Amino acid sequence: SPLAAGLRCFGNGAKLRKGRVQGRADANPRAATGFVLGLVAAGDREAGHLMGIVTGKLLQSEGPEAAAAWAATLPEGEMRNSTMSHIARDFVSADPEAAARWASQLSGQPEGNRVIDQVGGRWARRDPEAAVAWLESLPSSSGQARGMDSAFSSWAGRNPEEAGNYINAMTPSPRRDSALSGYASRMAYENPTMAIAWAESVSDPNARQEAIIRTAQIFYRHRRGD
C-alpha cells in the first residue's frame, strides 16, 4: 500500500541518516555536529538521537571536560539542554568535583537545571554528604531543588538512617522540602507507611501535597509490579 511504502521509505531514510552520522562521528565528532544541526533545522524527529551519537563519540575521544565546552557552543534550546545532561552523566562518573565546578557555572541558566540534577544525584551515589554540601552551596533554583531531591533519593537507597538524620538536622526550608520529597520517594519501596510520614513533614503545603501523591504513586506502582 502507499502507506506501507511510505513507512519503508521513511525507515530506510532514517537508517541512512544514522549511518552517515555514525561514520562522520567516528572520523570527526565535531565535524559531524554541523550535519546534525542541519537535520535539527529541517525538523528531523531523529535529530536528538543522532546528536546523542555525536556526543557519545566526543566523550570517548576527548573526554567530558572537552565535550562540555563543545556543548556550550550549540544553539540554545532543547538540543543543548539534553546534550549537556548526557555529558553530565559521564562527567560526574569520571570526576565529580570537576563536574560540580562545571555545573555550578550553569546555575540559573536553562541547561543548568538538568545538569545540576544529574551531578547531584549521581555524585550522591558515591559520596552523598559531599554532593549535598555542594548542592546547598548553590543559589536557590529549580536545578538545586531537583538535585536535592535526586541526591536524597540516592542517599536513602544507600544509607536511609544516615540520610534521615541529616534531614532531621536541617532547618525548615525549600531545600529541606526537596530533600524530604526525594527521601520519601525512595523509602516508598521499603516502608510506605514511614515514607508517607516523611512526606507529610514537608513544610510547604503545595510541595507537601505533591510529595505525598508522588510517594503513594510509587508505592502503588511498585506493588503492582510496574
Side-chain angles (χ1 to χ4, degrees), residues 2 6 13 16 37 42 59 61-62 85 93 104 106 112 125 136 176-177 180 194 209:
L16 179 61
L37 289 177
L59 284 164
S61 62
E62 299 189 31
S85 180
S93 297
S104 296
L106 301 176
R125 298 177 187 178
E136 290 187 312
R176 184 175 186 272
D177 285 348
L180 281 164
M194 183 178 75
Q209 184 179 20

PDB file of all heavy atoms in Angstrom, residues 2 6 13 16 37 42 59 61-62 85 93 104 106 112 125 136 176-177 180 194 209:
ATOM      1  N   PRO A   2       0.325   2.391  -0.402  1.00  0.00           N
ATOM      2  CA  PRO A   2       1.127   3.626  -0.372  1.00  0.00           C
ATOM      3  C   PRO A   2       1.643   3.951   1.022  1.00  0.00           C
ATOM      4  O   PRO A   2       2.775   4.437   1.173  1.00  0.00           O
ATOM      5  CB  PRO A   2       0.131   4.684  -0.875  1.00  0.00           C
ATOM      6  CG  PRO A   2      -0.836   3.914  -1.723  1.00  0.00           C
ATOM      7  CD  PRO A   2      -0.980   2.586  -1.050  1.00  0.00           C
ATOM      8  N   GLY A   6       5.472   4.227   2.095  1.00  0.00           N
ATOM      9  CA  GLY A   6       5.973   5.456   2.692  1.00  0.00           C
ATOM     10  C   GLY A   6       6.722   5.191   3.987  1.00  0.00           C
ATOM     11  O   GLY A   6       7.760   5.791   4.257  1.00  0.00           O
ATOM     12  N   GLY A  13      15.336   5.891   5.095  1.00  0.00           N
ATOM     13  CA  GLY A  13      15.979   7.196   5.184  1.00  0.00           C
ATOM     14  C   GLY A  13      16.578   7.432   6.555  1.00  0.00           C
ATOM     15  O   GLY A  13      17.679   7.985   6.681  1.00  0.00           O
ATOM     16  N   LEU A  16      19.730   5.485   6.862  1.00  0.00           N
ATOM     17  CA  LEU A  16      20.786   6.113   6.080  1.00  0.00           C
ATOM     18  C   LEU A  16      21.385   7.298   6.834  1.00  0.00           C
ATOM     19  O   LEU A  16      22.608   7.450   6.897  1.00  0.00           O
ATOM     20  CB  LEU A  16      20.237   6.569   4.727  1.00  0.00           C
ATOM     21  CG  LEU A  16      21.225   7.274   3.792  1.00  0.00           C
ATOM     22  CD1 LEU A  16      22.381   6.347   3.442  1.00  0.00           C
ATOM     23  CD2 LEU A  16      20.510   7.738   2.517  1.00  0.00           C
ATOM     24  N   LEU A  37      23.004  19.415  13.196  1.00  0.00           N
ATOM     25  CA  LEU A  37      22.284  20.673  13.402  1.00  0.00           C
ATOM     26  C   LEU A  37      21.463  21.037  12.172  1.00  0.00           C
ATOM     27  O   LEU A  37      20.390  21.638  12.287  1.00  0.00           O
ATOM     28  CB  LEU A  37      23.270  21.795  13.738  1.00  0.00           C
ATOM     29  CG  LEU A  37      23.923  21.717  15.123  1.00  0.00           C
ATOM     30  CD1 LEU A  37      24.939  22.840  15.296  1.00  0.00           C
ATOM     31  CD2 LEU A  37      22.874  21.776  16.234  1.00  0.00           C
ATOM     32  N   ALA A  42      15.917  21.244   9.927  1.00  0.00           N
ATOM     33  CA  ALA A  42      14.948  20.706   8.968  1.00  0.00           C
ATOM     34  C   ALA A  42      13.784  20.002   9.653  1.00  0.00           C
ATOM     35  O   ALA A  42      12.869  19.529   8.977  1.00  0.00           O
ATOM     36  CB  ALA A  42      15.649  19.729   8.024  1.00  0.00           C
ATOM     37  N   LEU A  59      32.696  12.197  23.759  1.00  0.00           N
ATOM     38  CA  LEU A  59      33.080  11.816  25.118  1.00  0.00           C
ATOM     39  C   LEU A  59      34.186  10.761  25.091  1.00  0.00           C
ATOM     40  O   LEU A  59      35.122  10.809  25.890  1.00  0.00           O
ATOM     41  CB  LEU A  59      31.865  11.282  25.867  1.00  0.00           C
ATOM     42  CG  LEU A  59      30.859  12.326  26.353  1.00  0.00           C
ATOM     43  CD1 LEU A  59      29.527  11.669  26.731  1.00  0.00           C
ATOM     44  CD2 LEU A  59      31.419  13.096  27.550  1.00  0.00           C
ATOM     45  N   SER A  61      36.397  10.230  22.635  1.00  0.00           N
ATOM     46  CA  SER A  61      37.646  10.691  22.019  1.00  0.00           C
ATOM     47  C   SER A  61      38.313  11.834  22.769  1.00  0.00           C
ATOM     48  O   SER A  61      39.547  11.938  22.793  1.00  0.00           O
ATOM     49  CB  SER A  61      37.399  11.111  20.570  1.00  0.00           C
ATOM     50  OG  SER A  61      36.480  12.197  20.512  1.00  0.00           O
ATOM     51  N   GLU A  62      37.515  12.716  23.406  1.00  0.00           N
ATOM     52  CA  GLU A  62      38.097  13.909  24.019  1.00  0.00           C
ATOM     53  C   GLU A  62      37.831  14.034  25.517  1.00  0.00           C
ATOM     54  O   GLU A  62      38.459  14.845  26.182  1.00  0.00           O
ATOM     55  CB  GLU A  62      37.589  15.166  23.304  1.00  0.00           C
ATOM     56  CG  GLU A  62      37.963  15.214  21.824  1.00  0.00           C
ATOM     57  CD  GLU A  62      37.639  16.556  21.198  1.00  0.00           C
ATOM     58  OE1 GLU A  62      37.688  17.582  21.914  1.00  0.00           O
ATOM     59  OE2 GLU A  62      37.327  16.596  19.993  1.00  0.00           O
ATOM     60  N   SER A  85      22.981  17.401  29.618  1.00  0.00           N
ATOM     61  CA  SER A  85      22.559  16.397  30.597  1.00  0.00           C
ATOM     62  C   SER A  85      23.264  15.074  30.340  1.00  0.00           C
ATOM     63  O   SER A  85      23.700  14.390  31.276  1.00  0.00           O
ATOM     64  CB  SER A  85      21.038  16.233  30.538  1.00  0.00           C
ATOM     65  OG  SER A  85      20.599  15.269  31.465  1.00  0.00           O
ATOM     66  N   SER A  93      30.763  10.784  36.664  1.00  0.00           N
ATOM     67  CA  SER A  93      31.353   9.459  36.882  1.00  0.00           C
ATOM     68  C   SER A  93      32.873   9.519  36.828  1.00  0.00           C
ATOM     69  O   SER A  93      33.558   8.813  37.572  1.00  0.00           O
ATOM     70  CB  SER A  93      30.832   8.468  35.836  1.00  0.00           C
ATOM     71  OG  SER A  93      29.436   8.281  35.957  1.00  0.00           O
ATOM     72  N   SER A 104      28.199  24.255  38.536  1.00  0.00           N
ATOM     73  CA  SER A 104      27.987  25.489  39.303  1.00  0.00           C
ATOM     74  C   SER A 104      27.931  26.704  38.395  1.00  0.00           C
ATOM     75  O   SER A 104      27.180  27.652  38.637  1.00  0.00           O
ATOM     76  CB  SER A 104      29.102  25.665  40.334  1.00  0.00           C
ATOM     77  OG  SER A 104      29.089  24.635  41.295  1.00  0.00           O
ATOM     78  N   LEU A 106      26.694  26.850  35.565  1.00  0.00           N
ATOM     79  CA  LEU A 106      25.448  26.841  34.796  1.00  0.00           C
ATOM     80  C   LEU A 106      24.228  27.161  35.654  1.00  0.00           C
ATOM     81  O   LEU A 106      23.113  27.196  35.137  1.00  0.00           O
ATOM     82  CB  LEU A 106      25.255  25.468  34.145  1.00  0.00           C
ATOM     83  CG  LEU A 106      26.363  25.002  33.197  1.00  0.00           C
ATOM     84  CD1 LEU A 106      26.084  23.589  32.716  1.00  0.00           C
ATOM     85  CD2 LEU A 106      26.489  25.955  32.010  1.00  0.00           C
ATOM     86  N   GLY A 112      21.223  24.508  33.016  1.00  0.00           N
ATOM     87  CA  GLY A 112      21.792  24.192  34.322  1.00  0.00           C
ATOM     88  C   GLY A 112      20.918  23.308  35.183  1.00  0.00           C
ATOM     89  O   GLY A 112      21.421  22.527  35.993  1.00  0.00           O
ATOM     90  N   ARG A 125      25.473   8.960  44.858  1.00  0.00           N
ATOM     91  CA  ARG A 125      25.616   7.502  44.889  1.00  0.00           C
ATOM     92  C   ARG A 125      26.990   7.095  45.403  1.00  0.00           C
ATOM     93  O   ARG A 125      27.148   5.993  45.931  1.00  0.00           O
ATOM     94  CB  ARG A 125      25.408   6.927  43.482  1.00  0.00           C
ATOM     95  CG  ARG A 125      24.028   7.173  42.910  1.00  0.00           C
ATOM     96  CD  ARG A 125      23.933   6.640  41.482  1.00  0.00           C
ATOM     97  NE  ARG A 125      22.666   7.000  40.853  1.00  0.00           N
ATOM     98  CZ  ARG A 125      22.333   6.698  39.607  1.00  0.00           C
ATOM     99  NH1 ARG A 125      23.201   6.020  38.853  1.00  0.00           N
ATOM    100  NH2 ARG A 125      21.174   7.063  39.101  1.00  0.00           N
ATOM    101  N   GLU A 136      23.875  22.468  48.529  1.00  0.00           N
ATOM    102  CA  GLU A 136      23.462  23.510  49.477  1.00  0.00           C
ATOM    103  C   GLU A 136      24.235  24.811  49.285  1.00  0.00           C
ATOM    104  O   GLU A 136      23.784  25.874  49.712  1.00  0.00           O
ATOM    105  CB  GLU A 136      23.621  23.008  50.913  1.00  0.00           C
ATOM    106  CG  GLU A 136      22.619  21.915  51.291  1.00  0.00           C
ATOM    107  CD  GLU A 136      22.670  21.544  52.754  1.00  0.00           C
ATOM    108  OE1 GLU A 136      23.781  21.317  53.266  1.00  0.00           O
ATOM    109  OE2 GLU A 136      21.603  21.490  53.390  1.00  0.00           O
ATOM    110  N   ARG A 176      15.170  21.708  52.326  1.00  0.00           N
ATOM    111  CA  ARG A 176      14.788  20.567  53.167  1.00  0.00           C
ATOM    112  C   ARG A 176      13.545  19.884  52.595  1.00  0.00           C
ATOM    113  O   ARG A 176      13.437  18.651  52.612  1.00  0.00           O
ATOM    114  CB  ARG A 176      14.517  21.023  54.597  1.00  0.00           C
ATOM    115  CG  ARG A 176      14.206  19.864  55.567  1.00  0.00           C
ATOM    116  CD  ARG A 176      14.072  20.390  57.003  1.00  0.00           C
ATOM    117  NE  ARG A 176      13.921  19.298  57.948  1.00  0.00           N
ATOM    118  CZ  ARG A 176      12.761  18.746  58.297  1.00  0.00           C
ATOM    119  NH1 ARG A 176      11.634  19.209  57.730  1.00  0.00           N
ATOM    120  NH2 ARG A 176      12.701  17.763  59.175  1.00  0.00           N
ATOM    121  N   ASP A 177      12.606  20.669  52.091  1.00  0.00           N
ATOM    122  CA  ASP A 177      11.410  20.082  51.481  1.00  0.00           C
ATOM    123  C   ASP A 177      11.791  19.199  50.290  1.00  0.00           C
ATOM    124  O   ASP A 177      11.226  18.108  50.113  1.00  0.00           O
ATOM    125  CB  ASP A 177      10.450  21.184  51.030  1.00  0.00           C
ATOM    126  CG  ASP A 177       9.710  21.829  52.195  1.00  0.00           C
ATOM    127  OD1 ASP A 177       9.763  21.294  53.317  1.00  0.00           O
ATOM    128  OD2 ASP A 177       9.067  22.871  51.962  1.00  0.00           O
ATOM    129  N   LEU A 180      13.299  16.018  51.645  1.00  0.00           N
ATOM    130  CA  LEU A 180      12.239  15.152  52.171  1.00  0.00           C
ATOM    131  C   LEU A 180      11.500  14.434  51.050  1.00  0.00           C
ATOM    132  O   LEU A 180      11.194  13.241  51.152  1.00  0.00           O
ATOM    133  CB  LEU A 180      11.241  15.980  53.000  1.00  0.00           C
ATOM    134  CG  LEU A 180      11.669  16.341  54.421  1.00  0.00           C
ATOM    135  CD1 LEU A 180      10.796  17.465  54.959  1.00  0.00           C
ATOM    136  CD2 LEU A 180      11.585  15.115  55.324  1.00  0.00           C
ATOM    137  N   MET A 194       6.122   4.650  56.602  1.00  0.00           N
ATOM    138  CA  MET A 194       7.119   5.607  57.058  1.00  0.00           C
ATOM    139  C   MET A 194       7.376   6.666  55.991  1.00  0.00           C
ATOM    140  O   MET A 194       7.568   7.847  56.292  1.00  0.00           O
ATOM    141  CB  MET A 194       8.416   4.889  57.406  1.00  0.00           C
ATOM    142  CG  MET A 194       9.489   5.819  57.964  1.00  0.00           C
ATOM    143  SD  MET A 194      11.008   4.943  58.429  1.00  0.00           S
ATOM    144  CE  MET A 194      11.688   4.622  56.796  1.00  0.00           C
ATOM    145  N   GLN A 209       1.754  18.284  49.410  1.00  0.00           N
ATOM    146  CA  GLN A 209       0.758  17.508  48.666  1.00  0.00           C
ATOM    147  C   GLN A 209       1.402  16.743  47.512  1.00  0.00           C
ATOM    148  O   GLN A 209       1.100  15.565  47.288  1.00  0.00           O
ATOM    149  CB  GLN A 209      -0.341  18.429  48.146  1.00  0.00           C
ATOM    150  CG  GLN A 209      -1.472  17.695  47.433  1.00  0.00           C
ATOM    151  CD  GLN A 209      -2.553  18.640  46.961  1.00  0.00           C
ATOM    152  OE1 GLN A 209      -2.344  19.839  46.814  1.00  0.00           O
ATOM    153  NE2 GLN A 209      -3.740  18.112  46.732  1.00  0.00           N
TER     154      GLN A 209
END
